[in-house]
Coordinates of all heavy atoms in Angstrom, one line a residue:
E349 N 7.4 -0.5 -3.0 CA 8.7 -1.0 -3.3 C 8.6 -1.6 -4.7 O 7.6 -2.0 -5.3 CB 9.1 -2.1 -2.3 CG 8.1 -3.2 -2.1 CD 8.5 -4.2 -1.0 OE1 8.7 -3.7 0.1 OE2 8.6 -5.4 -1.3
W350 N 9.8 -1.8 -5.3 CA 9.8 -2.3 -6.6 C 9.8 -3.8 -6.5 O 10.3 -4.4 -5.6 CB 11.2 -1.9 -7.2 CG 11.5 -2.5 -8.5 CD1 11.0 -1.9 -9.6 CD2 12.2 -3.6 -8.9 NE1 11.6 -2.7 -10.7 CE2 12.3 -3.6 -10.3 CE3 13.0 -4.5 -8.2 CZ2 12.8 -4.8 -11.1 CZ3 13.7 -5.5 -8.8 CH2 13.6 -5.6 -10.2
L351 N 8.9 -4.4 -7.5 CA 8.8 -5.8 -7.5 C 9.3 -6.3 -8.7 O 9.4 -5.8 -9.8 CB 7.2 -6.1 -7.5 CG 6.4 -5.5 -6.4 CD1 4.9 -5.7 -6.6 CD2 6.8 -6.2 -5.0
V352 N 9.8 -7.5 -8.7 CA 10.7 -8.2 -9.7 C 9.8 -8.4 -10.9 O 10.2 -8.3 -12.1 CB 11.4 -9.4 -9.2 CG1 12.0 -10.2 -10.3 CG2 12.4 -9.0 -8.1
Y353 N 8.6 -9.0 -10.7 CA 7.8 -9.5 -11.6 C 7.0 -8.3 -12.4 O 6.2 -8.5 -13.3 CB 6.8 -10.4 -11.2 CG 5.9 -10.1 -10.0 CD1 4.6 -9.6 -10.4 CD2 6.3 -10.3 -8.8 CE1 3.8 -9.2 -9.4 CE2 5.4 -9.9 -7.8 CZ 4.2 -9.3 -8.1 OH 3.2 -9.0 -7.1
I354 N 7.1 -7.1 -12.0 CA 6.6 -5.9 -12.6 C 7.7 -5.2 -13.3 O 8.7 -4.8 -12.8 CB 5.8 -5.1 -11.6 CG1 4.6 -5.8 -11.0 CG2 5.4 -3.8 -12.3 CD1 3.8 -5.2 -9.9
D355 N 7.5 -4.8 -14.7 CA 8.5 -4.2 -15.4 C 8.8 -2.8 -15.1 O 9.8 -2.4 -15.2 CB 8.1 -4.4 -16.9 CG 8.1 -5.8 -17.4 OD1 8.7 -6.7 -16.6 OD2 7.4 -6.2 -18.4
G356 N 7.8 -2.1 -14.6 CA 8.0 -0.7 -14.4 C 8.6 -0.3 -13.1 O 9.2 -1.3 -12.4
D357 N 8.7 0.8 -12.6 CA 9.3 1.3 -11.4 C 8.4 1.0 -10.2 O 8.3 -0.1 -9.8 CB 9.6 2.8 -11.6 CG 10.8 3.1 -12.6 OD1 11.7 2.2 -12.7 OD2 10.7 4.2 -13.1
Y358 N 7.8 2.0 -9.8 CA 6.9 1.9 -8.5 C 5.6 2.2 -8.9 O 4.6 2.3 -8.0 CB 7.4 2.8 -7.6 CG 8.6 2.6 -6.9 CD1 9.8 3.0 -7.3 CD2 8.9 1.7 -5.9 CE1 11.0 2.8 -6.7 CE2 9.9 1.3 -5.2 CZ 11.0 1.9 -5.7 OH 12.1 1.7 -5.2
I359 N 5.2 2.2 -10.3 CA 3.8 2.5 -10.7 C 3.5 1.5 -11.6 O 4.2 1.0 -12.6 CB 3.7 3.9 -11.4 CG1 4.2 5.0 -10.3 CG2 2.4 4.2 -12.1 CD1 4.2 6.3 -10.9
L360 N 2.0 1.1 -11.6 CA 1.5 0.0 -12.3 C 0.1 0.5 -12.9 O -0.5 1.0 -12.1 CB 1.3 -1.2 -11.6 CG 0.8 -2.5 -12.3 CD1 1.7 -2.9 -13.4 CD2 0.5 -3.6 -11.3
S361 N 0.1 0.5 -14.2 CA -1.2 0.9 -14.9 C -1.9 -0.3 -15.5 O -1.4 -1.1 -16.1 CB -0.9 2.0 -16.0 OG -0.2 3.1 -15.4
G362 N -3.3 -0.2 -15.4 CA -4.1 -1.3 -15.9 C -5.5 -1.2 -15.4 O -5.9 -0.2 -14.7
V363 N -6.3 -2.3 -15.7 CA -7.7 -2.3 -15.3 C -7.7 -3.2 -14.1 O -7.3 -4.4 -14.2 CB -8.5 -2.8 -16.5 CG1 -10.0 -2.9 -16.0 CG2 -8.5 -2.0 -17.6
I364 N -8.4 -2.8 -13.0 CA -8.5 -3.7 -11.8 C -9.6 -4.5 -12.0 O -10.8 -4.0 -12.4 CB -8.7 -2.7 -10.6 CG1 -7.6 -1.9 -10.3 CG2 -9.1 -3.5 -9.3 CD1 -7.7 -0.9 -9.2
T365 N -9.4 -5.9 -12.0 CA -10.5 -6.7 -12.3 C -11.2 -7.4 -11.1 O -12.3 -7.7 -11.0 CB -10.0 -8.0 -13.1 OG1 -8.8 -8.5 -12.5 CG2 -9.6 -7.4 -14.5
D366 N -10.4 -7.5 -10.0 CA -10.9 -8.0 -8.7 C -10.1 -7.5 -7.6 O -8.9 -7.3 -7.5 CB -10.8 -9.5 -8.8 CG -11.5 -10.3 -7.8 OD1 -12.6 -9.7 -7.1 OD2 -11.2 -11.5 -7.4
V367 N -10.8 -7.4 -6.3 CA -10.2 -7.1 -5.1 C -10.9 -7.9 -4.0 O -12.1 -8.1 -4.0 CB -10.6 -5.6 -4.8 CG1 -10.1 -5.2 -3.4 CG2 -10.1 -4.6 -5.9
D368 N -10.0 -8.5 -3.1 CA -10.5 -9.1 -2.0 C -9.9 -8.5 -0.7 O -9.3 -7.5 -0.7 CB -10.4 -10.6 -2.1 CG -8.9 -11.1 -2.0 OD1 -8.0 -10.3 -1.9 OD2 -8.8 -12.3 -2.1
D369 N -10.0 -9.2 0.4 CA -9.4 -8.8 1.6 C -8.0 -8.5 1.7 O -7.5 -7.6 2.3 CB -9.7 -9.6 2.8 CG -11.3 -9.8 3.1 OD1 -11.9 -8.8 2.6 OD2 -11.7 -10.9 3.6
E370 N -7.2 -9.2 0.9 CA -5.7 -9.3 0.8 C -5.1 -9.0 -0.4 O -3.9 -8.4 -0.5 CB -5.2 -10.6 1.4 CG -3.7 -10.6 2.0 CD -3.3 -11.7 2.6 OE1 -4.3 -12.5 3.2 OE2 -2.1 -12.0 2.8
W371 N -5.7 -9.2 -1.5 CA -5.1 -9.1 -2.8 C -5.8 -8.4 -3.8 O -7.0 -8.1 -3.7 CB -4.9 -10.6 -3.5 CG -4.1 -11.6 -2.5 CD1 -4.7 -12.4 -1.7 CD2 -2.8 -11.7 -2.6 NE1 -3.6 -13.1 -1.1 CE2 -2.3 -12.7 -1.7 CE3 -1.7 -11.2 -3.4 CZ2 -1.1 -13.0 -1.5 CZ3 -0.5 -11.5 -3.1 CH2 -0.1 -12.5 -2.2
L372 N -5.2 -7.9 -4.9 CA -5.7 -7.1 -5.9 C -5.3 -7.7 -7.2 O -4.1 -8.2 -7.4 CB -5.2 -5.6 -5.8 CG -5.4 -4.7 -7.1 CD1 -6.6 -3.9 -6.9 CD2 -4.2 -3.9 -7.5

Side-chain angles (χ1 to χ4, degrees):
E349 57 189 50
W350 181 77
L351 301 174
V352 174
Y353 61 91
I354 296 178
D355 299 335
D357 292 326
Y358 293 94
I359 297 174
L360 184 64
S361 299
V363 177
I364 297 176
T365 57
D366 190 24
V367 176
D368 68 359
D369 294 338
E370 195 172 339
W371 299 95
L372 167 97

